[in-house]
Amino acid sequence: MTDTIALDRRHVWHPFTQAQTAPEPLAVTHGKGVSLFTEDGREILDLISSWWVNLHGHAHPAIAGAIAEQAHRLEQVIFADFTHAPAARLATRLAEVLPGDLDRVFYSDNGSTAVEVALKLAWQYWRNKGEGQRRRFLAFEGSYHGDTFGAMAAGVGSGFYEPFHDLLFAVDRMPYPTTWDDDPEVEAKEAAALEWLDRWLAANGAEMVAVIIEPLVQGASGMRFCRPEFLRAMAARVRAAGGLVIFDEVMTGFGRTGALFASAKAGVAPDLICLSKGLTGGFLPLSVTACGASIYEAFLGAGFDRAFAHGHSFTANPLGCAAALASLELTTSAETAANLARIEARHRAAIADLSNHPKLSRGRVMGTIAAIEVTDAQGYTAVVGQTLKRFFLERGLLLRPLGPVIYLLPPYCVTDGQLDHAYAAIRDAADTLL
């Protein structure tokens, strides 16, 4: 046991881990591109982008250089009463690339806090407008929005929050028409979900604050896809009833679905959008909640009572903003566009092949996200997920199944050979393990 592991075991509490039964964590010394290198000499291909944050590969020199340069100028300043160039430039750049009129940026620290900001903004917006009767939020079965209390309330349908149920505010949940390649029932599922929404809006539309959704892909509940047609129909109905539309693009933003944002891919501009994970290319914690002028101006007034009284110590941290600017430049480059298309094409060919295996089903691809399910296995806690994770790790692959769902979400620098290695391991697992 290395010193790192011994100290970790003595003092560290890991996320989403049962410490009593978990194996020893792997001590990583450094990373380069898609690879992570451990103290015991192993090279592991990070094909889930380290919880979906790493866009361009580990230790990318352009982002590392931008952080280093900024660190020699200004590492942090209180963002109440002050500003700085990286924050102003990043907000301007995001306003240029975000869909619709989302040109006002509120900074926070991570995906969960970006969601908290969106929920609080939506709630206070209606009170500032004199519509205090709007008290109902709507979310989706299976949705996950983070682990702070507002985010948990919105994502209670994910099933992760039973110990905290009594502390969460009420959020109504509608059916989610999850689909996959060649799904013969997708239209029927969408029609049923929209019929449910029509009934709910008829009864509750005048009290609606907002709907929140992970557009096109529910991540943590198993890379569950919905179609752009459904997203557009849902948003149109909510807006017709006067509600706000919140898109949680914490995972889907910055190219993951094949477009810069899932909202752009679907042709829907939300009223509020939440961004994090890939925002800094995986280097530093930073998040954004963006809205348009109509929401921003509802908070203006002579008294502080209309202001948005929310903030974080490291709001708009200059190092994070510098990293995000460098990452966004890489993300919008022609090279990245070519990589996104190449990865998606590789995914589609491989998933189509694996879908013929009797132990695998419901294959699906969107941009750099590929997923396939173990046939007849059920639920996030399915034992097969842990068994598969160990199997892949022994072959030098960081693939972390979501229960029975095997998925790939690699950095954009992944090579065809690395993807082929991963898909060969998935087939080997289906042949010998399942």
Side-chain angles (χ1 to χ4, degrees):
M1 182 184 296
T2 67
D3 288 345
T4 302
I5 298 298
L7 293 172
D8 182 284
R9 277 301 197 191
R10 189 174 303 159
H11 298 293
V12 176
W13 196 334
H14 287 267
F16 281 89
T17 300
Q18 175 46 260
Q20 183 167 309
T21 59
E24 288 185 353
L26 297 175
V28 174
T29 59
H30 63 289
K32 183 176 177 58
V34 181
S35 296
L36 297 168
F37 299 90
T38 66
E39 285 187 350
D40 60 2
R42 281 189 273 179
E43 178 180 356
I44 299 169
L45 297 182
D46 183 0
L47 295 174
I48 62 165
S49 300
S50 285
W51 248 341
W52 321 339
V53 301
N54 189 289
L55 297 187
H56 309 293
H58 293 282
H60 194 287
I63 305 176
I67 294 171
E69 182 181 355
Q70 181 60 43
H72 286 287
R73 296 181 179 179
L74 176 68
E75 82 301 339
Q76 169 64 8
V77 63
I78 181 175
F79 207 59
D81 300 323
F82 291 86
T83 191
H84 49 80
R89 289 174 52 216
L90 178 58
T92 300
R93 188 74 182 96
L94 288 171
E96 292 170 351
V97 298
L98 284 168
D101 64 350
L102 301 173
D103 62 359
R104 286 287 178 175
V105 167
F106 192 97
Y107 290 107
S108 55
D109 296 353
N110 57 64
S112 184
T113 58
V115 168
E116 295 285 338
V117 168
L119 297 173
K120 289 176 69 174
L121 282 174
W123 181 268
Q124 187 176 342
Y125 168 78
W126 290 118
R127 275 130 198 86
N128 285 1
K129 298 276 285 183
E131 296 195 41
Q133 84 284 356
R134 291 190 178 271
R135 306 181 61 84
R136 301 180 78 109
F137 284 96
L138 182 62
F140 284 80
E141 293 289 353
S143 62
Y144 174 87
H145 299 287
D147 297 324
T148 50
F149 273 92
M152 284 194 295
V156 73
S158 65
F160 290 127
Y161 306 129
E162 186 59 34
F164 310 104
H165 188 270
D166 291 345
L167 298 174
L168 304 180
F169 61 82
V171 175
D172 295 325
R173 298 190 300 278
M174 71 172 284
Y176 182 80
T178 185
T179 190
W180 47 88
D181 293 351
D182 301 319
D183 176 8
E185 300 178 356
V186 60
E187 292 182 356
K189 287 184 286 189
E190 290 174 348
L194 292 172
E195 182 182 351
W196 186 100
L197 178 59
D198 288 336
R199 292 195 304 269
W200 187 90
L201 290 171
N204 306 297
E207 300 177 45
M208 185 180 194
V209 175
V211 63
I212 182 167
I213 186 171
E214 301 158 86
L216 298 184
V217 186
Q218 286 186 337
S221 64
M223 297 300 163
R224 305 200 318 159
F225 293 1
C226 72
R227 297 196 307 173
E229 297 93 322
F230 171 76
L231 202 62
R232 290 194 292 269
M234 181 277 297
R237 283 166 165 78
V238 168
R239 287 201 167 116
L244 299 175
V245 176
I246 302 170
F247 279 0
D248 175 355
E249 291 225 39
V250 168
M251 185 272 283
T252 58
F254 304 104
R256 288 301 186 190
T257 64
L260 191 56
F261 300 103
S263 44
K265 186 181 186 74
V268 185
D271 299 295
L272 293 136
I273 194 168
C274 307
L275 306 171
S276 189
K277 289 199 182 289
L279 177 59
T280 67
F283 273 70
L284 289 167
L286 185 71
S287 64
V288 156
T289 307
C291 66
S294 61
I295 292 179
Y296 174 76
E297 290 170 1
F299 290 78
L300 303 180
F304 187 74
D305 61 314
R306 294 181 66 83
F308 186 52
H310 184 103
H312 303 268
S313 299
F314 285 92
T315 292
N317 173 256
L319 302 178
C321 291
L325 282 164
S327 180
L328 189 55
E329 184 174 351
L330 293 169
T331 304
T332 55
S333 69
E335 180 181 2
T336 294
N339 281 336
L340 296 181
R342 173 182 58 82
I343 293 167
E344 180 165 5
R346 208 74 174 188
H347 279 340
R348 290 199 179 280
I351 290 294
D353 179 58
L354 289 173
S355 294
N356 294 319
H357 197 287
K359 298 295 182 66
L360 301 171
S361 60
R362 296 183 175 181
R364 50 202 182 267
V365 174
M366 189 181 301
T368 66
I369 306 167
I372 198 163
E373 300 183 22
V374 177
T375 304
D376 297 330
Q378 299 293 322
Y380 182 85
T381 58
V383 174
V384 69
Q386 295 299 316
T387 303
L388 285 166
K389 183 170 70 170
R390 292 191 296 270
F391 179 91
F392 295 134
L393 201 55
E394 290 170 358
R395 286 151 180 78
L397 300 169
L398 176 50
L399 290 172
R400 202 169 187 268
L402 295 160
V405 180
I406 305 168
Y407 77 94
L408 284 79
L409 202 157
Y412 303 155
C413 60
V414 68
T415 67
D416 289 347
Q418 290 166 334
L419 289 174
D420 291 345
H421 175 40
Y423 281 118
I426 294 171
R427 176 165 285 280
D428 189 19
D431 287 340
T432 64
L433 193 65
L434 300 180

